[in-house]
């Protein structure tokens, strides 16, 4: 995972863990404080309740800290909902303005509406969300480019090593063939012994060169796989970032959308925030393959 995105997720997760655990501690203390004056803890079975009050914050901590699924920080979720409630009139006016109707209460079948309603909640809050998303995407992209450049260097080096291995293999093959000729032409037993020993050495050298070439091919293949993994991870990171912020945008607009849906009996949603020009669709980025 990209460090930029990892840090972003860690912030959200750590806040939720801290907040939930803090609330659990406060609840336990309040309950304990309410029970203390009643002499409840002097009863026989009070130890169980006392133990539960102590363990409850731990259970909450383990449950929230162990969540694998990403959750937006609670305060951001609240902010989205509260601001959406405040801005719903702005969103509804934007809807009416987009379709050139008097107000948002007009039936959708009386206007030229399409699919998911081709309009956006063009408000200051939406633009702030867009800026936050684009900044995160930009930082992730910079990190991606840096990782790709490093991996390209690894691939170039792997190709250089493989090229040298081909040269060494051909040289070892040629040397073995020459010594084989000497062995075939040897007359005396002493000369045959010497040429046999030399030939065996060349056979070993040829075998080692062949193994080195195979290893170099493997290293190149792994380096290219790693580049593809970086590429796939980046695409997945971009998708997750956009999904997260679309979720926030949906929470922000949900009050206004519910009103329009209630009038029209529909379940449509408005389109996403303005899209950043994606590098995946940019024909000028020839370096990414």
């Amino acid at each position: 995972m990209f460090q930029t995105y990892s840090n972003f997720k860690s912030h959200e997760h750590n806040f939720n863990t801290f907040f939930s655990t803090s609330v659990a501690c406060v609840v336990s203390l309040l309950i304990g404080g309410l029970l203390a004056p009643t002499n409840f803890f002097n009863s026989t079975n009070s130890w169980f309740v006392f133990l539960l009050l102590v363990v409850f914050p731990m259970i909450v901590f383990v449950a929230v800290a162990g969540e694998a699924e990403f959750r937006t920080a609670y305060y951001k979720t609240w902010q989205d909902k509260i601001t959406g409630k405040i801005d719903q009139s702005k969103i509804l006016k934007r809807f009416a303005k987009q379709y050139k109707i008097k107000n948002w209460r007009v039936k959708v079948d009386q206007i030229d509406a399409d699919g998911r309603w081709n309009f956006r909640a063009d408000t200051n809050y939406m633009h702030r969300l867009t800026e936050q998303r684009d900044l995160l995407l930009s930082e992730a992209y910079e990190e991606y480019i840096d990782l790709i450049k490093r991996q390209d260097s690894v691939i170039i080096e792997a190709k250089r090593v493989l090229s040298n291995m081909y040269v060494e293999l051909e040289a070892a093959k040629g040397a073995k063939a020459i010594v084989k000729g000497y062995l075939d032409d040897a007359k005396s037993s002493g000369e045959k012994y010497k040429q046999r020993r030399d030939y065996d050495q060349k056979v070993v050298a040829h075998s080692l060169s062949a193994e080195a070439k195979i290893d170099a091919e493997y290293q190149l293949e792994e380096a290219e796989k790693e580049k593809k993994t970086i590429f796939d991870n980046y695409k997945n990171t971009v998708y997750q970032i956009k999904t997260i912020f679309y979720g926030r945008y949906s929470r922000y607009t949900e009050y206004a959308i519910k009103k329009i849906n209630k009038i029209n009996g529909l379940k449509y949603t408005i389109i996403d925030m303005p899209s950043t020009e994606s590098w995946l669709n940019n024909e000028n980025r020839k370096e990414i393959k």
Side-chain angles (χ1 to χ4, degrees):
M1 183 185 295
F2 291 87
Q3 191 61 43
T4 297
Y5 182 53
S6 179
N7 292 341
F8 168 77
K9 289 182 67 175
S10 294
H11 166 76
E12 312 284 295
H13 183 71
N14 291 340
F15 174 85
N16 290 346
T17 302
F18 173 77
F19 181 83
S20 298
T21 306
S22 298
V23 170
C25 289
V26 170
V27 170
S28 291
L29 289 173
L30 285 175
I31 294 175
L34 291 173
L35 293 176
T38 65
N39 294 321
F40 173 81
F41 292 111
N42 294 327
S43 61
T44 306
N45 297 322
S46 63
W47 64 270
F48 176 76
V49 176
F50 178 78
L51 180 63
L52 185 62
L53 292 176
V54 172
V55 173
F56 176 62
M58 300 179 187
I59 295 174
V60 171
F61 172 81
V62 172
V64 179
E67 283 186 340
E69 182 181 351
F70 173 83
R71 290 181 183 274
T72 299
Y74 297 142
Y75 73 91
K76 292 181 179 178
T77 300
W78 302 329
Q79 184 181 36
D80 295 337
K81 285 181 173 291
I82 293 171
T83 310
K85 185 69 174 178
I86 295 171
D87 287 354
Q88 63 176 316
S89 60
K90 297 179 182 178
I91 299 171
L92 293 170
K93 286 179 182 178
R94 170 64 179 166
F95 173 76
K97 182 179 180 181
Q98 175 69 39
Y99 289 109
K100 299 179 175 62
I101 54 180
K102 291 183 179 180
N103 58 65
W104 57 273
R105 293 181 176 83
V106 174
K107 294 283 187 179
V108 172
D109 58 8
Q110 297 175 19
I111 62 177
D112 186 17
D114 57 343
R116 297 172 59 230
W117 300 340
N118 189 24
F119 88 102
R120 294 187 177 93
D122 192 9
T123 60
N124 290 334
Y125 191 75
M126 184 208 70
H127 288 296
R128 286 200 297 272
L129 287 179
T130 303
E131 288 173 358
Q132 293 171 23
R133 181 198 64 183
D134 291 352
L135 177 60
L136 191 58
L137 287 172
S138 176
E139 290 174 349
Y141 175 70
E142 290 177 2
E143 189 175 350
Y144 165 77
I145 289 298
D146 185 54
L147 290 172
I148 285 294
K149 285 181 179 178
R150 294 182 191 177
Q151 196 59 30
D152 280 341
S153 298
V154 173
I155 291 174
I156 290 172
E157 177 61 18
K159 287 181 177 179
R160 185 191 68 79
V161 171
L162 180 58
S163 178
N164 290 341
M165 290 302 100
Y166 272 112
V167 172
E168 291 184 14
L169 180 60
E170 288 301 313
K173 183 178 178 181
K176 186 179 74 171
I178 292 173
V179 175
K180 181 64 168 59
Y182 291 155
L183 177 61
D184 293 340
D185 295 338
K187 305 297 183 183
S188 66
S189 59
E191 187 178 0
K192 287 182 179 181
Y193 173 78
K194 178 181 179 304
Q195 295 303 335
R196 170 60 65 182
R197 184 181 61 184
D198 290 346
Y199 178 73
D200 288 343
Q201 291 176 348
K202 298 303 180 184
V203 169
V204 172
H206 183 217
S207 177
L208 291 175
S209 294
E211 291 177 3
K213 181 186 77 72
I214 293 173
D215 181 66
E217 289 175 338
Y218 174 77
Q219 294 301 327
L220 175 59
E221 183 180 344
E222 289 299 302
E224 290 175 338
K225 283 182 180 179
E226 179 61 23
K227 181 176 180 179
K228 184 179 184 304
T229 298
I230 294 172
F231 176 83
D232 291 340
N233 286 343
Y234 178 71
K235 287 198 298 182
N236 184 53
T237 298
V238 168
Y239 172 77
Q240 291 186 48
I241 291 172
K242 288 185 175 182
T243 299
I244 288 167
F245 277 89
Y246 180 69
R248 293 191 60 189
Y249 175 69
S250 296
R251 280 193 298 271
Y252 168 66
T253 59
E254 67 178 341
Y255 288 109
I257 297 305
K258 283 180 180 178
K259 284 199 170 187
I260 300 175
N261 281 336
K262 188 174 182 180
I263 290 293
N264 293 280
L266 304 173
K267 292 184 179 180
Y268 288 151
T269 57
I270 60 178
I271 60 176
D272 199 357
M273 295 178 287
S275 299
T276 306
E277 184 180 10
S278 173
W279 60 272
L280 292 172
N281 298 321
N282 189 344
E283 295 180 357
N284 295 323
R285 298 193 187 280
K286 302 298 184 182
E287 74 276 10
I288 301 177
K289 300 178 181 178

